[in-house]
Every structure is written in C-alpha cells, then in structure tokens.
C-alpha cells in the first residue's frame, strides 16, 4: 500500500502500525497526522491464499499542526502511537496521539438513513409549518455504506515533554501515557484530569541521567505496568503499592559485557521498545543491536537474546555521524508468542523462532514483493569472501529502514512499514 514513485513526501512517512484485537482492522498513522484504517477483505476469510488482502476502510485527519505560544514551540501533527480499545459494540474505538495530545476516535458504519421528517425536507430545509397537514412516521432507507470517524474525547495539556507511548489497561477503563520523564494514568471517560503515576524528573535538570523510552500495561494484571529507560533498564511497577510508583517493584537489567565496552555503549543500550507477550509471562525489549526476552520472575538477565544486526557493531561510528544510531526500532510477538519480529536497515526485517532457535531475514521492497510471490531469505556477508546471494555490509542502505511492524493476533499475517509504504505478508498456504 502506498505511492510507487521514489520522491517521498515527509507527511506520508508511516510512524505507527497497529492491528485491532480481532486482526480484521489494521491502522497506520503518518507524519502528516492522518490515520488510515485497512480492513481485511470479508470474502478472503474462506480463501486461505487471500487471507492477507486488506483494503482501505477509512481515512481521517487525526491531528493538525499546533503552536505552543507560551513556549514558542511548534507541535508536530505526527502520530506517535495508535492503540485500539477492545470492541464492545458495533463501533470500533482507537486512541491516537501526537507529541502532546491524545484523542479517542469512534469508527462506525452507516448503511441506512432516515427519511420522511415532518418539519424539514429531505435536503434539510425547514418546511413552512402552515403547509403541514398530516403526520408522517419517518422511516430508515438503505444507503451506500459510509464509514464515519468522529473524535469522542480529547486528552490534552497533561504532558510537558513528548509522548512516546500509550497503553490500554486490561480493565478496559483506563490507559497510560508516557513522555520522557513522566507517566500519567487516565480514565477513558474523563478528559480534564489524569493521575501522575511515575515522575523521574530530578529537582535540578542538570542531574538528569536517563529518560523514559517506552511503557506498557501488563496484558491481564490491571495493576502492573513496565517502563524502559535510555540506560537499558526496565522497571516493573505495581499500582497497589502506592499512588506514585517512583519506587519500582522489580528492575530488569543485564550487566554489560566489558569486552564490548565502547564510546557508543550507552547509546546502543537504550531501549527503544518494550512489549509483553500475550500470556503475560515474558516481556521483550529492543535495543539498537539486539532483542531480549525476559521472564518476569528473573530480573538478573534475559532468558533469550537475539542479535538483530550484529554486523553493524563495527559501523557504529558512521551510524553515529548520520544519526541512525538514534533510530527507534519497535518489536512484536506473533499470536501464540512463539515467534518475535523486529525491523532493520535496507528494508530488512528479522524473525526469531523461539522454540526452534531459528532466525530469518526478509526484505520488504517493491523489487522483490510482487503480489503472491514467495519472499526469499536474505543474508548479509560479514567479512571474508561474499557468497552469491549475500549482501555486503557496505552496500546496505541506511536510509531504508523498518521501524514499525505488527503481527495479526490470530493468524500468520504481518504488516511491515517501510518509509511510506505498508507491506502485508501472509504465511504461504499449503
């Protein structure tokens, strides 16, 4: 999905991708403040080879650029995160956020319209009351399906710094929003106040040593959430212990290998994403070079570590110079927590099978992604003689990167966002 030409408008760059709880809808947000929702083709449900067919369902402008006059700052319209609320009725609800303001959107369908009003004509003009001599009963008539997106709540003015995460609680009533130094707890129904549950801002900003990079609620314990930091630590907090969770219940941190110590150690240890698995037993964290899986019962070290692109360790200097070292890669679990996925450079994305300890590198690009064609595994040569199908590290394109990926909650269908295109892949049917 997306434009084919090579000039990319800044506004079209995809900034977040999220499946809803059934996987039937897939939402993307972009730097232009738009949300585009794709719907799985209803007919495709009976045809295994077409399960991954998604078409545009609704598009709407979620955020507009704003200006903070007090701080003399422009507020970008870029959508940082989208999170779906569990479905309660025929309508769908989602939360979308830019740097400062979170909005709750209702997406609903209309396929009938009322006709036969007594006091107005079909075009909306009011009738002359003197001409009304009979009483009509309005009726509903079928019409073409219309998908409407309407903003139901606006949660504003609660964050001094840029919002990096939102996460809906398993109680379906509350959600959290995190910025660089604070995490707030909201009720979905109440917009004029939120509760500050984490505040790591030091009294003197010159003493600031770390920032919050991501935060997420536990999938089934409504009192538990985690947040990660730029220092490579993950703190698990329990809201039952105190109203302000500045003292964590658990802290997950892996001591650094002295052999790998370098000028860039601190930068590459910063965690860019944290995600609980569906069962809630494990959580996954992504730093610049690796993906780690932690057992919530063991804080000392991760139970699994996967190298995403270890061959870049020797290239950190040039990645620092072109600012790529600060890229924030996201990660995701498959529906049964057996496989994890994350992105890399050159439009590569990586999958790691936890049970079989196998890993796979695939590429999302127009050249090799004709519809229905099977993706070929890619390999990067890390030195010595390059084999025929391998790509040398020096020829990787660092401007093409996959930061945002999503996995269908029930099936092996994945969504991968390259700069301004969305690729949807499905498992090859037998």
């Amino acid at each position: 999905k997306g434009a084919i030409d090579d000039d990319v408008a800044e506004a079209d760059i995809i900034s977040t991708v999220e499946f809803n709880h059934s996987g039937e809808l897939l939402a993307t947000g972009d730097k232009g403040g738009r949300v585009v929702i794709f719907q799985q083709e209803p007919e495709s449900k009976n045809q295994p080879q077409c399960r991954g067919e998604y078409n545009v369902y609704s598009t709407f402008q979620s955020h507009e650029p704003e200006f903070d006059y007090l701080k003399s700052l422009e507020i970008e319209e870029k959508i940082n995160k989208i999170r779906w609320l569990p479905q309660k009725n025929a309508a769908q609800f989602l939360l979308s956020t830019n740097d400062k303001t979170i909005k709750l959107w209702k997406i609903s369908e209309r396929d009938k319209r009322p006709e036969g009003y007594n006091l107005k004509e079909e075009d909306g003009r009011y009738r002359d009351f003197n001409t009304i001599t009979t009483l009509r009963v309005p009726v509903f008539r079928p019409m073409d399906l219309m998908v409407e997106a309407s903003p139901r709540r606006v949660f504003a003015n609660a964050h001094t710094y840029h919002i990096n995460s939102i996460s809906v609680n398993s109680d379906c009533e509350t959600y959290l929003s995190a910025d660089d130094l604070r995490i707030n707890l909201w009720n979905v129904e109440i917009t004029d106040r939120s509760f500050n549950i984490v505040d790591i801002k030091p009294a003197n900003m010159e003493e600031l040593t770390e920032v919050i990079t991501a935060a997420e609620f536990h999938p089934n314990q409504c009192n538990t959430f985690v947040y990660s930091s730029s220092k490579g630590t993950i703190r698990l907090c329990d809201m039952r212990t105190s109203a302000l969770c500045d003292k964590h219940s658990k802290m997950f941190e892996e001591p650094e290998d002295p052999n790998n110590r370098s000028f860039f150690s601190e930068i590459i240890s910063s965690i860019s994403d944290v995600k609980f698995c569906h069962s809630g037993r494990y959580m996954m964290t992504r730093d610049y070079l690796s993906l780690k899986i932690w057992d919530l019962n063991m804080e000392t070290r991760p139970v699994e570590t996967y190298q995403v692109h270890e061959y870049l360790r020797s290239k950190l200097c040039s990645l620092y110079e072109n600012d790529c070292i600060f890229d924030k890669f996201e990660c995701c679990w498959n529906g049964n927590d057996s496989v994890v996925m994350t992105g890399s450079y050159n439009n590569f994305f990586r999958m790691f099978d936890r049970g079989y300890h196998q890993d796979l590198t695939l590429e999302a690009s127009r050249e090799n992604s004709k519809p229905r064609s099977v993706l070929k595994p890619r390999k990067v040569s890390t030195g010595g003689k390059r084999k025929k199908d391998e790509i040398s590290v020096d020829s990787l394109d660092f401007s093409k990167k996959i930061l945002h990926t999503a996995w269908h909650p029930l099936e092996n269908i994945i969504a991968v966002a390259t700069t301004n295109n969305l690729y949807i892949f499905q498992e090859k049917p037998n």
Side-chain angles (χ1 to χ4, degrees):
K1 315 287 181 191
I4 300 209
D5 52 346
D6 288 328
D7 334 332
V8 179
E10 180 81 5
D12 294 335
I13 295 174
I14 296 172
S15 52
T16 182
V17 182
E18 186 79 5
F19 278 103
N20 76 338
H21 295 271
S22 67
E24 192 182 324
L25 298 177
L26 170 64
T28 65
D30 64 24
K31 283 196 170 180
R34 292 179 301 256
V35 171
V36 181
I37 300 173
F38 299 89
Q39 183 184 39
Q40 195 172 19
E41 273 297 298
E43 295 81 54
S44 73
K45 299 227 167 97
N46 312 320
Q47 301 170 300
Q49 70 277 14
C50 304
R51 301 285 299 170
E53 285 287 336
Y54 279 75
N55 288 318
V56 174
Y57 176 65
S58 174
T59 303
F60 58 94
Q61 188 72 30
S62 171
H63 288 71
E64 301 279 357
E66 293 173 58
F67 193 79
D68 184 332
Y69 294 98
L70 288 174
K71 296 198 174 80
S72 228
L73 282 176
E74 282 185 34
I75 300 167
E76 277 190 306
E77 66 272 42
K78 173 190 163 207
I79 309 292
N80 291 342
K81 284 284 183 290
I82 291 174
R83 289 290 178 265
W84 293 89
L85 273 69
Q87 192 173 0
K88 294 285 196 304
N89 52 29
Q92 296 273 0
F93 289 86
L94 64 80
L95 289 164
S96 64
T97 184
N98 67 352
D99 284 341
K100 299 285 179 186
T101 306
I102 305 154
K103 295 185 181 181
L104 174 69
W105 289 88
K106 178 184 181 180
I107 293 96
S108 52
E109 294 183 354
R110 256 215 334 226
D111 60 356
K112 291 185 178 66
R113 67 158 182 252
E115 278 183 12
Y117 287 111
N118 286 289
L119 300 180
K120 57 183 180 183
E121 304 287 356
E122 300 309 332
D123 60 5
R125 284 180 300 125
Y126 281 96
R127 295 170 65 186
D128 180 359
F129 297 156
N130 299 322
T131 63
I132 301 172
T133 54
T134 57
L135 192 64
R136 293 190 289 185
V137 177
V139 291
F140 275 112
R141 296 249 185 268
M143 62 177 247
D144 291 341
L145 178 68
M146 216 169 88
V147 180
E148 294 179 319
S150 53
R152 302 314 295 260
R153 306 265 187 284
V154 176
F155 306 88
N157 306 322
H159 285 279
T160 311
Y161 307 98
H162 291 178
I163 298 172
N164 56 46
S165 306
I166 47 177
S167 176
V168 180
N169 197 345
S170 57
D171 65 11
C172 302
E173 279 187 14
T174 54
Y175 73 90
L176 64 76
S177 57
D179 66 23
D180 298 329
L181 297 177
R182 298 189 181 104
I183 300 176
N184 291 338
L185 180 70
W186 301 83
N187 187 301
V188 177
E189 301 290 329
I190 300 167
T191 58
D192 60 357
R193 63 184 179 276
S194 62
F195 298 97
N196 181 227
I197 51 174
V198 171
D199 186 346
I200 64 165
K201 185 181 179 206
N204 176 5
M205 280 296 267
E206 286 175 9
E207 294 165 10
L208 181 69
T209 57
E210 64 179 332
V211 293
I212 297 167
T213 54
E216 190 179 52
F217 265 122
H218 191 281
N220 43 46
Q221 293 171 10
C222 63
N223 50 281
T224 308
F225 67 94
V226 292
Y227 67 92
S228 59
S229 91
S230 55
K231 276 193 159 174
T233 60
I234 309 101
R235 293 174 175 86
L236 182 135
C237 302
D238 188 337
M239 293 192 290
R240 294 172 300 185
T241 53
S242 67
L244 191 63
C245 301
D246 284 353
K247 291 191 170 62
H248 50 267
S249 304
K250 290 187 175 186
M251 180 154 124
F252 301 82
E253 184 176 20
E254 185 174 30
E256 192 196 358
D257 179 357
N259 300 327
N260 285 335
R261 180 94 194 129
S262 74
F263 170 73
F264 305 107
S265 294
E266 244 173 68
I267 303 172
I268 62 171
S269 66
S270 174
I271 291 170
S272 53
D273 197 17
V274 57
K275 291 267 169 61
F276 278 108
C277 69
H278 297 81
S279 71
R281 170 74 191 268
Y282 300 98
M283 67 177 172
M284 158 170 59
T285 59
R286 171 75 156 95
D287 57 40
Y288 190 65
L289 294 177
S290 64
L291 199 60
K292 292 174 182 170
I293 294 181
W294 303 78
D295 186 326
L296 292 195
N297 300 326
M298 186 167 85
E299 299 158 62
T300 48
R301 60 188 169 82
V303 286
E304 297 158 38
T305 300
Y306 301 104
Q307 300 305 331
V308 179
H309 36 218
E310 184 62 21
Y311 46 81
L312 295 183
R313 198 176 282 278
S314 59
K315 296 260 174 274
L316 291 176
C317 201
S318 51
L319 289 163
Y320 178 73
E321 283 166 11
N322 65 14
D323 275 354
C324 284
I325 201 166
F326 302 106
D327 285 334
K328 294 183 166 31
F329 291 95
E330 294 172 9
C331 51
C332 62
W333 299 83
N334 73 339
N336 62 9
D337 301 333
S338 62
V339 182
V340 292
M341 174 169 67
T342 190
S344 179
Y345 293 104
N346 209 62
N347 282 351
F348 287 172
F349 58 99
R350 304 266 285 139
M351 291 179 173
F352 301 95
D353 188 310
R354 300 176 58 211
Y356 292 101
H357 299 290
Q358 292 173 332
D359 66 304
L360 184 63
T361 304
L362 298 169
E363 183 181 358
S365 65
R366 287 198 300 274
E367 293 74 46
N368 67 359
S369 302
K370 295 184 177 60
R372 306 272 172 275
S373 63
V374 178
L375 288 183
K376 291 190 184 71
R378 310 304 301 256
K379 277 208 163 51
V380 176
S381 84
T382 51
K385 199 158 179 291
R386 185 163 65 89
K387 298 196 181 100
K388 184 168 141 263
D389 292 333
E390 289 185 340
I391 296 159
S392 89
V393 179
D394 296 321
S395 59
L396 293 174
D397 186 343
F398 294 112
S399 66
K400 294 180 175 171
K401 55 193 91 165
I402 291 176
L403 303 177
H404 314 287
T405 60
W407 202 305
H408 190 295
L410 308 170
E411 301 180 50
N412 281 335
I413 296 171
I414 58 169
V416 170
T418 60
T419 314
N420 65 329
N421 289 310
L422 179 71
Y423 290 87
I424 297 170
F425 301 108
Q426 67 174 73
E427 186 178 33
K428 187 183 171 191
N430 295 327

